[in-house]
Amino acid sequence: MKKKSIWKLYGFAWVTAGFFLISLIGHWVFGWFAYANEQTQFGHPVEVNGYLIEMMRDTLENWQSEFLQLLWQVGGLAFLLYLGSPQSKEGDDRVEAKIDAILAAVDPKNADRVIDEIDQEYSGRHTDPRWAALREKENRGG
């Protein structure tokens, strides 16, 4: 099997990093022009030290209000979904159980066969213990 390059494997991350760097560089470049303009308007000297302090403050304010919030929303949600928190599993299992029950009500003769076919096609998706228990009970004649 051909091994994919790191550029293709992490393409989204590379594009995101590129946008991040471009926007950060643009922020600092245009910040310099705004700082220099402001300093000359008020007759103050344009100093790199003053510019660095102002831009670091502005950058950290932006990260606090935007980046960290988004990082928590996306990263925290992805982490919790990965761990399988009760909130993330509840929806899928519940929806699957409801769909299985609807299929059994609409077509009781073929429901088991159709559900088995779907389960085989999507192997590893046998996640609804309630439905499995009901099917087991029916198969025993109960």
Side-chain angles (χ1 to χ4, degrees), residues 103-139:
L103 183 58
V106 171
D107 190 5
K109 292 180 183 177
N110 295 316
D112 284 341
R113 181 184 55 77
V114 171
I115 291 170
D116 284 340
E117 287 174 4
I118 293 170
D119 285 343
Q120 291 303 318
E121 190 173 331
Y122 297 95
S123 65
R125 298 282 301 195
H126 314 285
T127 59
D128 183 19
R130 179 181 170 272
W131 182 255
L134 285 173
R135 287 180 59 191
E136 177 89 18
K137 184 178 176 184
E138 285 176 5
N139 288 341

Side-chain angles (χ1 to χ4, degrees), residues 1 19 21 25 33 40 71 76 78 84-85 105 114 126 129 134-136:
M1 198 183 307
F19 284 144
L21 286 174
I25 290 168
F33 292 120
T40 54
L71 180 68
S85 71
V114 171
H126 314 285
L134 285 173
R135 287 180 59 191
E136 177 89 18

Side-chain angles (χ1 to χ4, degrees), residues 49-86:
N49 194 28
Y51 163 74
L52 290 176
I53 291 170
E54 190 172 314
M55 286 308 295
M56 282 192 257
R57 182 200 66 205
D58 290 349
T59 301
L60 288 175
E61 280 179 7
N62 285 340
W63 283 14
Q64 265 184 312
S65 66
E66 310 277 340
F67 182 68
L68 292 176
Q69 177 184 354
L70 183 63
L71 180 68
W72 170 244
Q73 288 174 349
V74 173
L77 180 61
F79 181 70
L80 290 175
L81 282 172
Y82 176 75
L83 287 179
S85 71

Side-chain angles (χ1 to χ4, degrees), residues 2-23:
K2 186 179 177 186
K3 190 174 181 180
K4 288 187 178 181
S5 74
I6 194 166
W7 298 104
K8 285 190 178 188
L9 283 174
Y10 300 105
F12 183 78
W14 293 119
V15 170
T16 303
F19 284 144
F20 175 77
L21 286 174
I22 289 169
S23 66

